[in-house]
């Protein structure tokens, strides 16, 4: 019965019958369960994994809406479904791979810590100096 529901779910996505809803549901339900499980566990590694997933999923969603990808690529939701499952399943670690390959190289210079503190701290101190405020 579970296998039949899985095949029906994939069939509906493949033929884009409520594809956006079904893919977003898969992108939220499975990771939300594992994220809650990670929050209640004592280890930190699973917290990092799921924070990485949510950041990666957010960038995917913003990028998707910016280029309106569904109109440009046939079977878009099928590919997105496979990508979201690959990113969400803890066994594959896909979100970490996407994050380290695409997101981290672009944004690391804004968030990397230097000898005197983080970039945001440096920017805050420069803004305070420019406005005459003291820390």
């Amino acid at each position: 019965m579970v296998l039949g529901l899985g095949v029906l779910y994939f069939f509906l996505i493949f033929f884009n019958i409520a594809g956006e809803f079904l893919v977003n549901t898969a992108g939220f339900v499975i990771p939300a369960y594992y994220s809650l499980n990670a929050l209640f566990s004592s280890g930190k590694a699973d917290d990092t994994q799921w924070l990485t997933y949510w950041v990666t999923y957010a960038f995917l969603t913003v990028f998707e809406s910016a280029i309106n990808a569904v109109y440009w690529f046939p079977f878009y939701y099928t590919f997105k479904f496979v990508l979201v499952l690959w990113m969400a399943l803890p066994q594959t670690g896909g979100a970490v791979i996407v994050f380290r390959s695409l997101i981290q190289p672009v944004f690391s210079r804004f968030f990397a810590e230097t000898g005197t503190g983080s970039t945001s701290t440096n920017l805050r101190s420069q803004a305070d100096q420019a406005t005459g405020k003291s820390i």
Side-chain angles (χ1 to χ4, degrees):
M1 183 169 169
V2 172
L3 183 61
L5 287 174
V7 169
L8 177 64
Y9 196 88
F10 186 76
F11 175 81
L12 292 173
I13 291 171
F14 185 79
F15 289 106
N16 199 16
I17 302 170
E20 182 178 15
F21 172 74
L22 294 172
V23 170
N24 287 334
T25 301
F28 285 113
V29 172
I30 296 169
Y33 170 78
Y34 283 116
S35 296
L36 285 171
N37 191 25
L39 288 173
F40 289 112
S41 71
S42 60
K44 186 177 176 182
D46 54 356
D47 297 348
T48 303
Q49 175 187 355
W50 290 110
L51 181 59
T52 304
Y53 170 80
W54 289 113
V55 167
T56 306
Y57 188 79
F59 272 94
L60 173 68
T61 303
V62 168
F63 181 73
E64 168 192 13
S65 62
I67 65 168
N68 211 359
V70 73
Y71 296 110
W72 293 97
F73 303 107
F75 301 106
Y76 174 76
Y77 288 118
T78 304
F79 292 117
K80 183 179 177 185
F81 179 68
V82 171
L83 177 67
V84 165
L85 282 181
W86 177 70
M87 287 185 346
L89 292 174
Q91 297 83 357
T92 59
V96 174
I97 294 169
V98 171
F99 179 79
R100 289 188 180 154
S101 301
L102 301 174
I103 298 171
Q104 188 176 20
V106 173
F107 292 99
S108 64
R109 66 175 179 234
F110 299 114
F111 297 100
E113 291 192 22
T114 60
T116 59
S118 69
T119 303
S120 61
T121 304
N122 291 338
L123 290 174
R124 170 62 67 192
S125 65
Q126 288 175 4
D128 288 342
Q129 288 174 1
T131 58
K133 293 181 182 178
S134 62
I135 298 176

